[in-house]
Amino acid sequence: MLSERARAISASATVELSARVAEFRRKGVDVISLNIGEPDFGVPDAAKRAAVDAVKNDFSKYTAVDGILELREAICAKLRGDNHVEYGAGEICVSVGAKQAVMNSLLAVCSKGDEVILPVPCWASYMEMICLADATPVFVKTDDAQGYALDLDAIRRAITDRTKAIIINTPNNPSGAVYSEASLRGLAEIAVEHDLYVIADEIYEKLVYDGERHFSIASISKDVRDKCILINGFSKAYAMPGWRVGYSAGPKDVIKASKAIQSHMTSATCSISQKAALAALIGPQEELCEMVAEYDRRRQYMMKRMRTLGGMRCEMPKGTFYLLPDSSAYVGKAWGEKVIESSMDLANYLLEKGHIAVVPGEAFHIASKLRVSYSNSMENLVAGMDRMEEALNALR
Ligand code: PLP
């Protein structure tokens, strides 16, 4: 029999959906993907050149478990310049994506029975990772009337003597919320008062719009910094999800433990990818600026279309490349004999009838919403929204 751990875990809903889309495509159905969680842009040229050079130069040995020193130093410079927080190279652990950086952090700080607070909606993997670390996820709501802002009172109420950490993700997948500096200062006070770690996943930090500014909670003070584990990576800002480079920055003891854990799991991430990530970080940033401008254009277009749908209530998100419309107006409507009873049913209907893939809110611990990604070409977004409109209008 499989372990209790293996029996308890569910596969990622977003990965399963991608497999269903692939199955439709294999059967010749042209599905438009509005479920995508990765940039549809190319890798920066500097990163490509650095990878080719690394291959030619046989840069192919194991590297230090926590990453090559030049990359860790460049990350420190980035954190100082962009996020106004000081770290030394010994306080950085480069990992196999931000995903491993989150998992390392949880394994480093959680013991059996500890509780980890998770504001929802949130990325699907956090809950499973907390359980894999033998801890218990404690969900707290965010304020959806205020663009899914942190609800500090709800967080305070959720704290018990077993609470070990809170995971925040700003800009947020799936809500697109960008947490305000004031709310992060409030959260920092709570964390210091109750001696909680804040695992702050900032992987979407560059994807912000309308003059919004990403604020890093670790920059507040030395005391706060000592309770924070910052998570970031190259999958979103540099369109390098397949290259698998992410990192954590945090207190020395947490990073040392993360490094030890990683040394027995994967060792360092790919040596070639590390060279590419270094070049992306220190190279020209024009491609990133162009990508953000294009996402903004798509965001405006998608919102315009959402608003004409009538049944979808959708706030303008300030960050990421997702919309999170409320689709509850379609619950109770029918498609032939079949009644739509949840956003899961609606997403299935849109896939089967409209040939568009969106992710049901249930995957992010929020019912009655759909996550719609605009990480696709403008041409596909136009066609996708046409299909969505037609399919939704066909519901009775
Ligand atoms: N954190 C969040 C909030 C994400 O949405 C994702 C990917 O979708 C990740 C982390 C994973 O990043 P990586 O590809 O660097 O592992």
Side-chain angles (χ1 to χ4, degrees), residues 37-38 96-102 123 126 129 169 171-173 201-204 231-236 240-242 244-247 322 371:
E38 60 187 323
V96 184
K99 206 170 226 178
Q100 187 181 30
V102 176
W123 184 44
Y126 297 138
M129 288 179 177
N169 168 218
N172 185 270
N173 172 14
D201 182 345
E202 305 190 329
I203 194 152
Y204 291 94
I231 307 291
N232 213 321
F234 295 79
S235 295
K236 316 293 174 183
M240 295 168 65
R244 307 311 300 132
V245 192
Y247 56 90
Y322 308 113
R371 191 192 75 176

PDB file of all heavy atoms in Angstrom, residues 37-38 96-102 123 126 129 169 171-173 201-204 231-236 240-242 244-247 322 371, ligand 1:
ATOM      1  N   GLY A  37      -0.358  29.130 -17.202  1.00  0.00           N
ATOM      2  CA  GLY A  37       0.274  29.763 -16.036  1.00  0.00           C
ATOM      3  C   GLY A  37       1.716  30.115 -16.304  1.00  0.00           C
ATOM      4  O   GLY A  37       2.515  30.194 -15.376  1.00  0.00           O
ATOM      5  N   GLU A  38       2.056  30.299 -17.568  1.00  0.00           N
ATOM      6  CA  GLU A  38       3.447  30.645 -17.878  1.00  0.00           C
ATOM      7  C   GLU A  38       3.464  31.657 -19.025  1.00  0.00           C
ATOM      8  O   GLU A  38       2.538  31.684 -19.835  1.00  0.00           O
ATOM      9  CB  GLU A  38       4.238  29.394 -18.267  1.00  0.00           C
ATOM     10  CG  GLU A  38       3.679  28.671 -19.481  1.00  0.00           C
ATOM     11  CD  GLU A  38       4.382  27.352 -19.754  1.00  0.00           C
ATOM     12  OE1 GLU A  38       5.589  27.286 -19.562  1.00  0.00           O
ATOM     13  OE2 GLU A  38       3.698  26.411 -20.181  1.00  0.00           O
ATOM     14  N   VAL A  96      15.432  24.378  -7.692  1.00  0.00           N
ATOM     15  CA  VAL A  96      14.805  23.926  -8.943  1.00  0.00           C
ATOM     16  C   VAL A  96      13.433  24.623  -9.041  1.00  0.00           C
ATOM     17  O   VAL A  96      12.385  24.039  -8.778  1.00  0.00           O
ATOM     18  CB  VAL A  96      14.659  22.388  -8.956  1.00  0.00           C
ATOM     19  CG1 VAL A  96      14.089  21.919 -10.294  1.00  0.00           C
ATOM     20  CG2 VAL A  96      15.996  21.721  -8.697  1.00  0.00           C
ATOM     21  N   GLY A  97      13.478  25.890  -9.387  1.00  0.00           N
ATOM     22  CA  GLY A  97      12.247  26.683  -9.464  1.00  0.00           C
ATOM     23  C   GLY A  97      11.858  27.219  -8.096  1.00  0.00           C
ATOM     24  O   GLY A  97      12.325  26.749  -7.046  1.00  0.00           O
ATOM     25  N   ALA A  98      10.951  28.205  -8.132  1.00  0.00           N
ATOM     26  CA  ALA A  98      10.413  28.762  -6.895  1.00  0.00           C
ATOM     27  C   ALA A  98       9.666  27.675  -6.127  1.00  0.00           C
ATOM     28  O   ALA A  98       9.582  27.700  -4.905  1.00  0.00           O
ATOM     29  CB  ALA A  98       9.482  29.924  -7.214  1.00  0.00           C
ATOM     30  N   LYS A  99       9.142  26.724  -6.864  1.00  0.00           N
ATOM     31  CA  LYS A  99       8.390  25.631  -6.239  1.00  0.00           C
ATOM     32  C   LYS A  99       9.259  24.906  -5.214  1.00  0.00           C
ATOM     33  O   LYS A  99       8.848  24.698  -4.076  1.00  0.00           O
ATOM     34  CB  LYS A  99       7.948  24.668  -7.344  1.00  0.00           C
ATOM     35  CG  LYS A  99       6.727  23.887  -7.037  1.00  0.00           C
ATOM     36  CD  LYS A  99       6.242  23.165  -8.279  1.00  0.00           C
ATOM     37  CE  LYS A  99       4.746  23.343  -8.434  1.00  0.00           C
ATOM     38  NZ  LYS A  99       4.192  22.721  -9.613  1.00  0.00           N
ATOM     39  N   GLN A 100      10.462  24.544  -5.617  1.00  0.00           N
ATOM     40  CA  GLN A 100      11.325  23.852  -4.652  1.00  0.00           C
ATOM     41  C   GLN A 100      11.731  24.800  -3.516  1.00  0.00           C
ATOM     42  O   GLN A 100      11.869  24.357  -2.367  1.00  0.00           O
ATOM     43  CB  GLN A 100      12.583  23.287  -5.329  1.00  0.00           C
ATOM     44  CG  GLN A 100      13.385  22.427  -4.356  1.00  0.00           C
ATOM     45  CD  GLN A 100      14.647  21.843  -4.932  1.00  0.00           C
ATOM     46  OE1 GLN A 100      15.271  22.431  -5.810  1.00  0.00           O
ATOM     47  NE2 GLN A 100      15.030  20.669  -4.452  1.00  0.00           N
ATOM     48  N   ALA A 101      11.871  26.082  -3.834  1.00  0.00           N
ATOM     49  CA  ALA A 101      12.253  27.038  -2.782  1.00  0.00           C
ATOM     50  C   ALA A 101      11.162  27.108  -1.705  1.00  0.00           C
ATOM     51  O   ALA A 101      11.463  27.165  -0.512  1.00  0.00           O
ATOM     52  CB  ALA A 101      12.509  28.412  -3.399  1.00  0.00           C
ATOM     53  N   VAL A 102       9.891  27.070  -2.114  1.00  0.00           N
ATOM     54  CA  VAL A 102       8.791  27.080  -1.133  1.00  0.00           C
ATOM     55  C   VAL A 102       8.824  25.782  -0.319  1.00  0.00           C
ATOM     56  O   VAL A 102       8.729  25.788   0.907  1.00  0.00           O
ATOM     57  CB  VAL A 102       7.403  27.240  -1.820  1.00  0.00           C
ATOM     58  CG1 VAL A 102       6.279  27.143  -0.792  1.00  0.00           C
ATOM     59  CG2 VAL A 102       7.306  28.553  -2.582  1.00  0.00           C
ATOM     60  N   TRP A 123      -2.469  29.913  -4.758  1.00  0.00           N
ATOM     61  CA  TRP A 123      -1.898  28.918  -5.677  1.00  0.00           C
ATOM     62  C   TRP A 123      -2.100  27.522  -5.097  1.00  0.00           C
ATOM     63  O   TRP A 123      -1.882  27.305  -3.897  1.00  0.00           O
ATOM     64  CB  TRP A 123      -0.411  29.227  -5.837  1.00  0.00           C
ATOM     65  CG  TRP A 123       0.346  28.385  -6.803  1.00  0.00           C
ATOM     66  CD1 TRP A 123      -0.041  27.992  -8.053  1.00  0.00           C
ATOM     67  CD2 TRP A 123       1.665  27.841  -6.608  1.00  0.00           C
ATOM     68  NE1 TRP A 123       0.957  27.264  -8.648  1.00  0.00           N
ATOM     69  CE2 TRP A 123       2.008  27.158  -7.780  1.00  0.00           C
ATOM     70  CE3 TRP A 123       2.579  27.889  -5.556  1.00  0.00           C
ATOM     71  CZ2 TRP A 123       3.229  26.508  -7.942  1.00  0.00           C
ATOM     72  CZ3 TRP A 123       3.802  27.251  -5.719  1.00  0.00           C
ATOM     73  CH2 TRP A 123       4.118  26.566  -6.897  1.00  0.00           C
ATOM     74  N   TYR A 126       0.453  25.333  -2.606  1.00  0.00           N
ATOM     75  CA  TYR A 126       0.815  25.615  -1.211  1.00  0.00           C
ATOM     76  C   TYR A 126       0.205  24.596  -0.249  1.00  0.00           C
ATOM     77  O   TYR A 126       0.866  24.104   0.656  1.00  0.00           O
ATOM     78  CB  TYR A 126       0.368  27.013  -0.777  1.00  0.00           C
ATOM     79  CG  TYR A 126       1.002  28.166  -1.512  1.00  0.00           C
ATOM     80  CD1 TYR A 126       0.234  29.258  -1.915  1.00  0.00           C
ATOM     81  CD2 TYR A 126       2.362  28.198  -1.800  1.00  0.00           C
ATOM     82  CE1 TYR A 126       0.800  30.341  -2.578  1.00  0.00           C
ATOM     83  CE2 TYR A 126       2.931  29.274  -2.470  1.00  0.00           C
ATOM     84  CZ  TYR A 126       2.145  30.336  -2.851  1.00  0.00           C
ATOM     85  OH  TYR A 126       2.700  31.401  -3.515  1.00  0.00           O
ATOM     86  N   MET A 129       1.905  21.282  -0.397  1.00  0.00           N
ATOM     87  CA  MET A 129       3.271  21.358   0.144  1.00  0.00           C
ATOM     88  C   MET A 129       3.249  21.390   1.678  1.00  0.00           C
ATOM     89  O   MET A 129       4.085  20.770   2.327  1.00  0.00           O
ATOM     90  CB  MET A 129       3.969  22.615  -0.366  1.00  0.00           C
ATOM     91  CG  MET A 129       4.345  22.573  -1.825  1.00  0.00           C
ATOM     92  SD  MET A 129       5.122  24.161  -2.198  1.00  0.00           S
ATOM     93  CE  MET A 129       5.569  23.944  -3.884  1.00  0.00           C
ATOM     94  N   ASN A 169       1.413  35.601  -1.182  1.00  0.00           N
ATOM     95  CA  ASN A 169       1.848  35.625  -2.577  1.00  0.00           C
ATOM     96  C   ASN A 169       1.332  36.931  -3.194  1.00  0.00           C
ATOM     97  O   ASN A 169       0.145  37.086  -3.388  1.00  0.00           O
ATOM     98  CB  ASN A 169       1.261  34.395  -3.298  1.00  0.00           C
ATOM     99  CG  ASN A 169       1.386  34.436  -4.806  1.00  0.00           C
ATOM    100  OD1 ASN A 169       0.480  34.015  -5.522  1.00  0.00           O
ATOM    101  ND2 ASN A 169       2.491  34.918  -5.304  1.00  0.00           N
ATOM    102  N   PRO A 171       2.462  39.929  -6.213  1.00  0.00           N
ATOM    103  CA  PRO A 171       1.129  39.847  -6.790  1.00  0.00           C
ATOM    104  C   PRO A 171       0.613  38.407  -6.760  1.00  0.00           C
ATOM    105  O   PRO A 171       1.404  37.470  -6.835  1.00  0.00           O
ATOM    106  CB  PRO A 171       1.327  40.325  -8.221  1.00  0.00           C
ATOM    107  CG  PRO A 171       2.577  41.168  -8.179  1.00  0.00           C
ATOM    108  CD  PRO A 171       3.439  40.549  -7.154  1.00  0.00           C
ATOM    109  N   ASN A 172      -0.704  38.297  -6.665  1.00  0.00           N
ATOM    110  CA  ASN A 172      -1.295  37.012  -6.305  1.00  0.00           C
ATOM    111  C   ASN A 172      -1.810  36.206  -7.495  1.00  0.00           C
ATOM    112  O   ASN A 172      -2.540  36.716  -8.340  1.00  0.00           O
ATOM    113  CB  ASN A 172      -2.453  37.289  -5.334  1.00  0.00           C
ATOM    114  CG  ASN A 172      -3.072  36.023  -4.797  1.00  0.00           C
ATOM    115  OD1 ASN A 172      -4.002  35.497  -5.396  1.00  0.00           O
ATOM    116  ND2 ASN A 172      -2.562  35.519  -3.700  1.00  0.00           N
ATOM    117  N   ASN A 173      -1.442  34.943  -7.493  1.00  0.00           N
ATOM    118  CA  ASN A 173      -2.046  33.958  -8.389  1.00  0.00           C
ATOM    119  C   ASN A 173      -3.083  33.220  -7.548  1.00  0.00           C
ATOM    120  O   ASN A 173      -2.693  32.586  -6.565  1.00  0.00           O
ATOM    121  CB  ASN A 173      -0.967  32.985  -8.886  1.00  0.00           C
ATOM    122  CG  ASN A 173      -1.552  31.812  -9.659  1.00  0.00           C
ATOM    123  OD1 ASN A 173      -2.708  31.832 -10.051  1.00  0.00           O
ATOM    124  ND2 ASN A 173      -0.730  30.779  -9.873  1.00  0.00           N
ATOM    125  N   ASP A 201       6.029  34.795  -1.371  1.00  0.00           N
ATOM    126  CA  ASP A 201       6.281  34.366  -2.759  1.00  0.00           C
ATOM    127  C   ASP A 201       6.056  35.579  -3.664  1.00  0.00           C
ATOM    128  O   ASP A 201       4.928  36.027  -3.848  1.00  0.00           O
ATOM    129  CB  ASP A 201       5.317  33.212  -3.084  1.00  0.00           C
ATOM    130  CG  ASP A 201       5.516  32.646  -4.475  1.00  0.00           C
ATOM    131  OD1 ASP A 201       6.188  33.297  -5.297  1.00  0.00           O
ATOM    132  OD2 ASP A 201       4.977  31.560  -4.741  1.00  0.00           O
ATOM    133  N   GLU A 202       7.164  36.079  -4.219  1.00  0.00           N
ATOM    134  CA  GLU A 202       7.109  37.330  -4.992  1.00  0.00           C
ATOM    135  C   GLU A 202       7.386  37.067  -6.467  1.00  0.00           C
ATOM    136  O   GLU A 202       7.861  37.948  -7.192  1.00  0.00           O
ATOM    137  CB  GLU A 202       8.135  38.308  -4.407  1.00  0.00           C
ATOM    138  CG  GLU A 202       7.920  38.530  -2.909  1.00  0.00           C
ATOM    139  CD  GLU A 202       8.750  39.664  -2.324  1.00  0.00           C
ATOM    140  OE1 GLU A 202       9.862  39.912  -2.819  1.00  0.00           O
ATOM    141  OE2 GLU A 202       8.265  40.303  -1.361  1.00  0.00           O
ATOM    142  N   ILE A 203       7.051  35.858  -6.919  1.00  0.00           N
ATOM    143  CA  ILE A 203       7.454  35.467  -8.275  1.00  0.00           C
ATOM    144  C   ILE A 203       6.827  36.323  -9.383  1.00  0.00           C
ATOM    145  O   ILE A 203       7.386  36.451 -10.463  1.00  0.00           O
ATOM    146  CB  ILE A 203       7.225  33.958  -8.500  1.00  0.00           C
ATOM    147  CG1 ILE A 203       7.964  33.494  -9.753  1.00  0.00           C
ATOM    148  CG2 ILE A 203       5.744  33.601  -8.578  1.00  0.00           C
ATOM    149  CD1 ILE A 203       8.383  32.073  -9.760  1.00  0.00           C
ATOM    150  N   TYR A 204       5.678  36.936  -9.077  1.00  0.00           N
ATOM    151  CA  TYR A 204       5.041  37.793 -10.107  1.00  0.00           C
ATOM    152  C   TYR A 204       5.379  39.269  -9.904  1.00  0.00           C
ATOM    153  O   TYR A 204       4.696  40.146 -10.425  1.00  0.00           O
ATOM    154  CB  TYR A 204       3.515  37.613 -10.074  1.00  0.00           C
ATOM    155  CG  TYR A 204       3.040  36.256 -10.537  1.00  0.00           C
ATOM    156  CD1 TYR A 204       2.800  35.227  -9.630  1.00  0.00           C
ATOM    157  CD2 TYR A 204       2.834  35.985 -11.893  1.00  0.00           C
ATOM    158  CE1 TYR A 204       2.371  33.977 -10.045  1.00  0.00           C
ATOM    159  CE2 TYR A 204       2.388  34.735 -12.321  1.00  0.00           C
ATOM    160  CZ  TYR A 204       2.167  33.746 -11.387  1.00  0.00           C
ATOM    161  OH  TYR A 204       1.728  32.508 -11.820  1.00  0.00           O
ATOM    162  N   ILE A 231      10.659  34.394  -1.653  1.00  0.00           N
ATOM    163  CA  ILE A 231      10.721  33.402  -2.738  1.00  0.00           C
ATOM    164  C   ILE A 231      10.604  34.155  -4.050  1.00  0.00           C
ATOM    165  O   ILE A 231       9.760  35.042  -4.203  1.00  0.00           O
ATOM    166  CB  ILE A 231       9.528  32.411  -2.629  1.00  0.00           C
ATOM    167  CG1 ILE A 231       9.423  31.771  -1.237  1.00  0.00           C
ATOM    168  CG2 ILE A 231       9.570  31.388  -3.762  1.00  0.00           C
ATOM    169  CD1 ILE A 231      10.521  30.802  -0.869  1.00  0.00           C
ATOM    170  N   ASN A 232      11.463  33.800  -4.987  1.00  0.00           N
ATOM    171  CA  ASN A 232      11.359  34.424  -6.311  1.00  0.00           C
ATOM    172  C   ASN A 232      11.980  33.475  -7.338  1.00  0.00           C
ATOM    173  O   ASN A 232      12.459  32.389  -6.963  1.00  0.00           O
ATOM    174  CB  ASN A 232      12.047  35.800  -6.312  1.00  0.00           C
ATOM    175  CG  ASN A 232      11.359  36.778  -7.243  1.00  0.00           C
ATOM    176  OD1 ASN A 232      10.913  36.389  -8.334  1.00  0.00           O
ATOM    177  ND2 ASN A 232      11.256  38.029  -6.824  1.00  0.00           N
ATOM    178  N   GLY A 233      11.954  33.875  -8.595  1.00  0.00           N
ATOM    179  CA  GLY A 233      12.506  32.983  -9.615  1.00  0.00           C
ATOM    180  C   GLY A 233      12.442  33.594 -11.000  1.00  0.00           C
ATOM    181  O   GLY A 233      12.117  34.775 -11.158  1.00  0.00           O
ATOM    182  N   PHE A 234      12.749  32.769 -11.973  1.00  0.00           N
ATOM    183  CA  PHE A 234      12.926  33.255 -13.349  1.00  0.00           C
ATOM    184  C   PHE A 234      11.805  32.809 -14.287  1.00  0.00           C
ATOM    185  O   PHE A 234      11.815  33.141 -15.462  1.00  0.00           O
ATOM    186  CB  PHE A 234      14.301  32.776 -13.872  1.00  0.00           C
ATOM    187  CG  PHE A 234      15.428  33.402 -13.106  1.00  0.00           C
ATOM    188  CD1 PHE A 234      15.794  32.909 -11.854  1.00  0.00           C
ATOM    189  CD2 PHE A 234      16.091  34.509 -13.597  1.00  0.00           C
ATOM    190  CE1 PHE A 234      16.811  33.506 -11.110  1.00  0.00           C
ATOM    191  CE2 PHE A 234      17.107  35.119 -12.870  1.00  0.00           C
ATOM    192  CZ  PHE A 234      17.463  34.608 -11.624  1.00  0.00           C
ATOM    193  N   SER A 235      10.819  32.062 -13.744  1.00  0.00           N
ATOM    194  CA  SER A 235       9.782  31.484 -14.609  1.00  0.00           C
ATOM    195  C   SER A 235       8.847  32.530 -15.192  1.00  0.00           C
ATOM    196  O   SER A 235       8.365  32.368 -16.316  1.00  0.00           O
ATOM    197  CB  SER A 235       8.945  30.476 -13.819  1.00  0.00           C
ATOM    198  OG  SER A 235       9.743  29.388 -13.430  1.00  0.00           O
ATOM    199  N   LYS A 236       8.548  33.574 -14.443  1.00  0.00           N
ATOM    200  CA  LYS A 236       7.549  34.540 -14.905  1.00  0.00           C
ATOM    201  C   LYS A 236       8.232  35.775 -15.511  1.00  0.00           C
ATOM    202  O   LYS A 236       7.994  36.097 -16.670  1.00  0.00           O
ATOM    203  CB  LYS A 236       6.621  34.960 -13.760  1.00  0.00           C
ATOM    204  CG  LYS A 236       6.124  33.809 -12.883  1.00  0.00           C
ATOM    205  CD  LYS A 236       5.185  32.834 -13.595  1.00  0.00           C
ATOM    206  CE  LYS A 236       4.874  31.650 -12.674  1.00  0.00           C
ATOM    207  NZ  LYS A 236       4.040  30.624 -13.260  1.00  0.00           N
ATOM    208  N   MET A 240      11.159  31.879 -18.271  1.00  0.00           N
ATOM    209  CA  MET A 240      12.049  30.709 -18.299  1.00  0.00           C
ATOM    210  C   MET A 240      11.521  29.554 -17.435  1.00  0.00           C
ATOM    211  O   MET A 240      12.288  28.941 -16.682  1.00  0.00           O
ATOM    212  CB  MET A 240      13.449  31.117 -17.790  1.00  0.00           C
ATOM    213  CG  MET A 240      14.153  32.119 -18.694  1.00  0.00           C
ATOM    214  SD  MET A 240      15.627  32.857 -17.929  1.00  0.00           S
ATOM    215  CE  MET A 240      16.720  31.452 -17.762  1.00  0.00           C
ATOM    216  N   PRO A 241      10.220  29.226 -17.516  1.00  0.00           N
ATOM    217  CA  PRO A 241       9.704  28.204 -16.593  1.00  0.00           C
ATOM    218  C   PRO A 241      10.362  26.840 -16.753  1.00  0.00           C
ATOM    219  O   PRO A 241      10.572  26.127 -15.776  1.00  0.00           O
ATOM    220  CB  PRO A 241       8.197  28.146 -16.912  1.00  0.00           C
ATOM    221  CG  PRO A 241       8.066  28.724 -18.283  1.00  0.00           C
ATOM    222  CD  PRO A 241       9.154  29.754 -18.398  1.00  0.00           C
ATOM    223  N   GLY A 242      10.711  26.496 -17.985  1.00  0.00           N
ATOM    224  CA  GLY A 242      11.304  25.174 -18.210  1.00  0.00           C
ATOM    225  C   GLY A 242      12.763  25.088 -17.774  1.00  0.00           C
ATOM    226  O   GLY A 242      13.331  23.995 -17.717  1.00  0.00           O
ATOM    227  N   ARG A 244      13.929  26.008 -14.876  1.00  0.00           N
ATOM    228  CA  ARG A 244      13.868  25.599 -13.476  1.00  0.00           C
ATOM    229  C   ARG A 244      14.893  26.303 -12.575  1.00  0.00           C
ATOM    230  O   ARG A 244      15.791  25.660 -12.009  1.00  0.00           O
ATOM    231  CB  ARG A 244      14.005  24.058 -13.336  1.00  0.00           C
ATOM    232  CG  ARG A 244      13.061  23.229 -14.166  1.00  0.00           C
ATOM    233  CD  ARG A 244      11.597  23.625 -14.082  1.00  0.00           C
ATOM    234  NE  ARG A 244      11.033  23.537 -12.753  1.00  0.00           N
ATOM    235  CZ  ARG A 244      10.296  24.534 -12.215  1.00  0.00           C
ATOM    236  NH1 ARG A 244      10.070  25.669 -12.879  1.00  0.00           N
ATOM    237  NH2 ARG A 244       9.781  24.375 -11.022  1.00  0.00           N
ATOM    238  N   VAL A 245      14.742  27.594 -12.476  1.00  0.00           N
ATOM    239  CA  VAL A 245      15.577  28.337 -11.531  1.00  0.00           C
ATOM    240  C   VAL A 245      14.689  29.245 -10.667  1.00  0.00           C
ATOM    241  O   VAL A 245      13.942  30.082 -11.189  1.00  0.00           O
ATOM    242  CB  VAL A 245      16.647  29.213 -12.230  1.00  0.00           C
ATOM    243  CG1 VAL A 245      17.665  29.709 -11.183  1.00  0.00           C
ATOM    244  CG2 VAL A 245      17.364  28.454 -13.334  1.00  0.00           C
ATOM    245  N   GLY A 246      14.771  29.042  -9.371  1.00  0.00           N
ATOM    246  CA  GLY A 246      14.088  29.901  -8.408  1.00  0.00           C
ATOM    247  C   GLY A 246      15.015  30.050  -7.220  1.00  0.00           C
ATOM    248  O   GLY A 246      16.115  29.483  -7.202  1.00  0.00           O
ATOM    249  N   TYR A 247      14.596  30.815  -6.228  1.00  0.00           N
ATOM    250  CA  TYR A 247      15.468  30.961  -5.062  1.00  0.00           C
ATOM    251  C   TYR A 247      14.691  31.400  -3.831  1.00  0.00           C
ATOM    252  O   TYR A 247      13.584  31.930  -3.943  1.00  0.00           O
ATOM    253  CB  TYR A 247      16.612  31.960  -5.337  1.00  0.00           C
ATOM    254  CG  TYR A 247      16.197  33.342  -5.774  1.00  0.00           C
ATOM    255  CD1 TYR A 247      15.968  34.359  -4.855  1.00  0.00           C
ATOM    256  CD2 TYR A 247      16.057  33.638  -7.127  1.00  0.00           C
ATOM    257  CE1 TYR A 247      15.608  35.626  -5.263  1.00  0.00           C
ATOM    258  CE2 TYR A 247      15.683  34.906  -7.554  1.00  0.00           C
ATOM    259  CZ  TYR A 247      15.458  35.900  -6.620  1.00  0.00           C
ATOM    260  OH  TYR A 247      15.089  37.160  -7.037  1.00  0.00           O
ATOM    261  N   TYR A 322      -3.564  37.097 -14.838  1.00  0.00           N
ATOM    262  CA  TYR A 322      -4.824  36.376 -14.646  1.00  0.00           C
ATOM    263  C   TYR A 322      -5.972  37.330 -14.327  1.00  0.00           C
ATOM    264  O   TYR A 322      -5.762  38.371 -13.697  1.00  0.00           O
ATOM    265  CB  TYR A 322      -4.710  35.418 -13.447  1.00  0.00           C
ATOM    266  CG  TYR A 322      -3.528  34.494 -13.485  1.00  0.00           C
ATOM    267  CD1 TYR A 322      -2.492  34.613 -12.546  1.00  0.00           C
ATOM    268  CD2 TYR A 322      -3.437  33.487 -14.441  1.00  0.00           C
ATOM    269  CE1 TYR A 322      -1.403  33.749 -12.559  1.00  0.00           C
ATOM    270  CE2 TYR A 322      -2.334  32.627 -14.461  1.00  0.00           C
ATOM    271  CZ  TYR A 322      -1.328  32.768 -13.526  1.00  0.00           C
ATOM    272  OH  TYR A 322      -0.248  31.921 -13.548  1.00  0.00           O
ATOM    273  N   ARG A 371     -10.461  31.131 -13.185  1.00  0.00           N
ATOM    274  CA  ARG A 371      -9.217  31.844 -13.471  1.00  0.00           C
ATOM    275  C   ARG A 371      -8.994  31.843 -14.971  1.00  0.00           C
ATOM    276  O   ARG A 371      -8.903  30.785 -15.591  1.00  0.00           O
ATOM    277  CB  ARG A 371      -8.008  31.218 -12.772  1.00  0.00           C
ATOM    278  CG  ARG A 371      -6.793  32.151 -12.868  1.00  0.00           C
ATOM    279  CD  ARG A 371      -5.505  31.489 -12.451  1.00  0.00           C
ATOM    280  NE  ARG A 371      -5.020  30.561 -13.458  1.00  0.00           N
ATOM    281  CZ  ARG A 371      -3.858  29.903 -13.371  1.00  0.00           C
ATOM    282  NH1 ARG A 371      -3.093  30.059 -12.310  1.00  0.00           N
ATOM    283  NH2 ARG A 371      -3.476  29.069 -14.334  1.00  0.00           N
TER     284      ARG A 371
HETATM  285  N1  PLP B   1       4.583  30.478  -7.072  1.00  0.00           N
HETATM  286  C1  PLP B   1       3.445  30.808  -7.721  1.00  0.00           C
HETATM  287  C2  PLP B   1       2.471  31.697  -7.047  1.00  0.00           C
HETATM  288  C3  PLP B   1       3.175  30.307  -9.003  1.00  0.00           C
HETATM  289  O1  PLP B   1       2.048  30.645  -9.625  1.00  0.00           O
HETATM  290  C4  PLP B   1       4.104  29.437  -9.598  1.00  0.00           C
HETATM  291  C5  PLP B   1       3.850  28.852 -10.920  1.00  0.00           C
HETATM  292  O2  PLP B   1       2.812  28.921 -11.501  1.00  0.00           O
HETATM  293  C6  PLP B   1       5.269  29.131  -8.894  1.00  0.00           C
HETATM  294  C7  PLP B   1       5.478  29.658  -7.631  1.00  0.00           C
HETATM  295  C8  PLP B   1       6.276  28.154  -9.454  1.00  0.00           C
HETATM  296  O3  PLP B   1       7.378  28.790  -9.981  1.00  0.00           O
HETATM  297  P1  PLP B   1       8.593  27.950 -10.577  1.00  0.00           P
HETATM  298  O4  PLP B   1       8.272  27.672 -12.010  1.00  0.00           O
HETATM  299  O5  PLP B   1       9.746  28.889 -10.453  1.00  0.00           O
HETATM  300  O6  PLP B   1       8.751  26.728  -9.785  1.00  0.00           O
END
